[in-house]
Amino acid sequence: MSDKKEHRFWSQQPVSQGKKNHYVNEINKPIEPAKDPVKDIRDKPLNLPDGYEWCELDIFDKIQIEEIYSLLYNNYVEDGDSMFRFDYSIPFLQWALSPPEYKKDWHVGVRVSSTHLLIGFITGIPVNVNIYQNTILMAEINFLCVHKKLRSKRLAPVLIREITRRINRCNIWQAVYTSGVKLPGSISTCRYYHRPINPQKLIEVGFSCLRRNVTMTMTKKLYKISDCPKTPGFRIATDADVPQIHSLLNEYLKRFDVTILFSEEDIKHWLISKQNVVYSYVVEDQETKQITDFCSFYVVPSTVLRHSVYSNILVAYAYYYASSKTDLVDLMQDALVCAKKNKIDVFNCLDIAENKQFINKLKFEFGDGNLHYYLYNWRCPIFSSEKIGLIFL
Ligand SMILES: CC(C)(COP(=O)(O)OP(=O)(O)OC[C@H]1O[C@@H](n2cnc3c(N)ncnc32)[C@H](O)[C@@H]1OP(=O)(O)O)[C@@H](O)C(=O)NCCC(=O)NCCS
């Protein structure tokens, strides 16, 4: 349906406009050529409607990060039935927005001039993306949000245009982003899966339902998770593991068509555990002391809207992993054990990468949400989800 919708904004952007068959010489190329970032890209922010002004947000300033938190807490993504809303914590937002080489002016806000209330937000971070054998420095766009009271006033396109201008001024011409809604230019559509860890709570808050003819006792038994990891040498990753995780992960990711190319600094930033934000584990060979496998998950609670008992559920999301010796099913089983130890209620994943190897075996349930992946100003063939090795927060 949405494919047939008229897209006043996106139809004018350099994204694939739904043409199925491209000429070979059009593929794996920018849609628009790069320009001169100084001469061709305006140096001043775009015009906003009267009464609004741009701001650059300092994520390490206590007041400003609280403003971002509160905008997202009250206005960010909800499920289709408006029962849950993402609740990205302050430490999570600071982590997500400060990787190596991050640019402060890619944390863009819009305020009401008279009150200074933050009502719009969008962010970018620099990422090296490997896509069909090309490595391109792109922007990864996230946290687009407009206050609920100001929706449908075409503020989102202004935010997107403004961050594009700032990125282009850095001589970067491609971007990658995801969305739950279908827009022009998607390169892949993925499906969410959910592994209940605390099924009783999930049923009570309406995240899942009790199956017909199945009691709560039977459901709890079905999803029971053991208390200890079973892979010998499975332990939390430390700073000293960074070089080995770096080579293991970059090597493993070569099997996918679109991935991140990580530096060692990136690994240290993204993949060393931070409490309630991200958890990473390695398998260390007992004899050689080599790291043979690696897995991780990140944590984003969701607010339970309008519930008398529970205010939130703790949700983990499968993050990067690499297996060279341990079966992926065993590795993720141990990740579930660690998630349970950290009080996670449900463990989510998409059907990307090699996740289908463990989705059924570890009792992940088919979800009702899709996630679409997009590229800005890059034309390439469409991917099946298992060719994706790039994970968004
Ligand atoms: C997403 C959001 C910022 C859009 O703002 P809005 O007030 O609903 O829409 P606006 O009138 O400002 O702009 C509409 C345009 O933005 C596009 N748009 C809507 N959601 C979008 C998204 N997630 N990513 C990119 N563009 C989007 C629309 O397709 C439309 O362009 P079109 O005419 O070419 O189709 C707003 O709905 C919101 O904050 N939602 C909750 C948070 C959220 O879903 N964020 C996106 C996470 S991916």
Side-chain angles (χ1 to χ4, degrees):
M1 221 169 79
S2 49
D3 275 337
K4 303 221 168 64
K5 210 175 112 180
E6 191 200 342
H7 291 285
R8 239 162 77 200
F9 170 65
W10 282 110
S11 62
Q12 303 303 313
Q13 298 302 303
V15 294
S16 165
Q17 299 290 346
K19 187 173 148 193
K20 291 273 180 291
N21 300 315
H22 295 290
Y23 296 113
V24 175
N25 63 359
E26 291 177 338
I27 284 174
N28 299 323
K29 291 218 174 89
I31 295 170
E32 282 177 354
K35 299 174 187 151
D36 182 324
V38 178
K39 276 204 301 220
D40 300 335
I41 305 297
R42 63 185 267 168
D43 60 352
K44 290 197 181 57
L46 302 184
N47 297 330
L48 277 169
D50 282 350
Y52 298 97
E53 60 192 36
W54 294 110
C55 64
E56 179 184 310
L57 287 137
D58 179 351
I59 55 165
F60 293 109
D61 177 274
K62 192 171 171 299
I63 293 175
Q64 295 182 45
I65 191 68
E66 277 171 6
E67 290 180 292
I68 297 170
Y69 173 79
S70 148
L71 175 71
L72 298 179
Y73 178 80
N74 293 302
N75 301 280
Y76 200 46
V77 179
E78 296 175 8
D79 65 304
D81 300 322
S82 293
M83 292 172 72
F84 306 97
R85 188 187 303 133
F86 284 134
D87 175 13
Y88 284 89
S89 69
I90 286 179
F92 191 106
L93 290 166
Q94 289 172 325
W95 170 69
L97 295 174
S98 65
E101 310 287 326
Y102 80 96
K103 321 251 187 254
K104 277 175 82 173
D105 74 333
W106 292 8
H107 302 157
V108 186
V110 173
R111 292 185 188 276
V112 177
S113 308
S114 55
T115 60
H116 281 217
L117 181 71
L118 184 68
I119 54 89
F121 190 53
I122 191 166
T123 68
I125 52 167
V127 278
N128 273 303
V129 174
N130 268 348
I131 178 156
Y132 288 120
Q133 276 92 48
N134 300 277
T135 304
I136 304 166
L137 178 58
M138 299 192 186
E140 183 178 299
I141 304 298
N142 209 342
F143 303 115
L144 167 64
C145 184
V146 167
H147 193 291
K148 284 185 178 223
K149 293 215 168 116
L150 294 165
R151 295 273 167 88
S152 304
K153 294 184 187 301
R154 313 298 298 181
L155 272 172
V158 190
L159 280 159
I160 297 168
R161 279 202 174 100
E162 173 59 16
I163 201 159
T164 306
R165 184 191 70 78
R166 293 174 187 221
I167 292 162
N168 289 165
R169 289 283 294 181
C170 298
N171 202 17
I172 295 174
W173 306 94
Q174 276 71 41
V176 58
Y177 52 104
T178 57
S179 157
V181 294
K182 184 106 165 98
L183 305 162
S186 79
I187 53 160
S188 192
T189 295
C190 310
R191 177 59 74 149
Y192 275 108
Y193 284 78
H194 313 283
R195 172 46 161 102
I197 296 182
N198 186 349
Q200 178 159 1
K201 179 171 169 189
L202 296 176
I203 289 166
E204 282 173 17
V205 299
F207 185 91
S208 345
C209 27
L210 205 53
R211 289 199 197 152
R212 272 181 61 185
N213 303 327
V214 181
T215 64
M216 188 63 89
T217 312
M218 286 153 76
T219 306
K220 281 167 134 173
K221 199 168 158 216
L222 176 71
Y223 293 120
K224 193 167 165 43
I225 289 170
S226 56
D227 291 328
C228 292
K230 70 172 188 187
T231 310
F234 186 94
R235 61 164 174 81
I236 197 131
T238 68
D239 281 357
D241 300 320
V242 165
Q244 286 197 68
I245 298 173
H246 175 240
S247 35
L248 186 70
L249 185 58
N250 275 346
E251 188 55 37
Y252 177 79
L253 290 175
K254 283 184 186 158
R255 64 188 75 187
F256 307 111
D257 286 339
V258 57
T259 68
I260 299 285
L261 179 65
F262 287 105
S263 66
E264 276 198 22
E265 291 72 39
D266 292 331
I267 299 287
K268 193 165 174 191
H269 178 82
W270 293 121
L271 295 171
I272 294 301
S273 302
K274 286 178 185 53
Q275 211 185 354
N276 298 328
V277 172
V278 62
Y279 293 89
S280 300
Y281 304 88
V282 291
V283 179
E284 180 180 316
D285 186 288
Q286 307 290 73
E287 284 163 21
T288 65
K289 303 292 172 207
Q290 286 295 300
I291 304 300
T292 56
D293 311 274
F294 162 78
C295 65
S296 57
F297 57 85
Y298 65 85
V299 181
V300 183
S302 272
T303 305
V304 182
L305 304 168
R306 299 178 296 278
H307 195 275
S308 54
V309 181
Y310 294 107
S311 57
N312 69 13
I313 49 173
L314 213 46
V315 188
Y317 293 80
Y319 200 33
Y320 289 95
Y321 56 75
S323 73
S324 76
K325 193 173 148 212
T326 307
D327 190 290
L328 194 52
V329 177
D330 296 336
L331 197 60
M332 294 311 288
Q333 172 70 53
D334 288 346
L336 288 174
V337 170
C338 297
K340 182 182 155 196
K341 278 193 174 166
N342 286 291
K343 311 247 175 313
I344 299 297
D345 296 310
V346 58
F347 194 109
N348 291 351
C349 75
L350 290 162
D351 56 356
I352 59 170
E354 297 192 311
N355 294 357
K356 281 187 185 147
Q357 285 184 22
F358 63 78
I359 278 176
N360 287 337
K361 288 188 178 144
L362 295 179
K363 301 176 190 159
F364 281 73
E365 307 294 346
F366 190 69
D368 53 11
N370 281 329
L371 189 70
H372 307 279
Y373 276 70
Y374 300 91
L375 284 173
Y376 186 90
N377 197 23
W378 190 258
R379 185 173 285 131
C380 65
I382 281 169
F383 297 90
S384 62
S385 55
E386 58 266 37
K387 287 294 176 193
I388 293 187
L390 191 164
I391 300 165
F392 271 76
L393 300 175

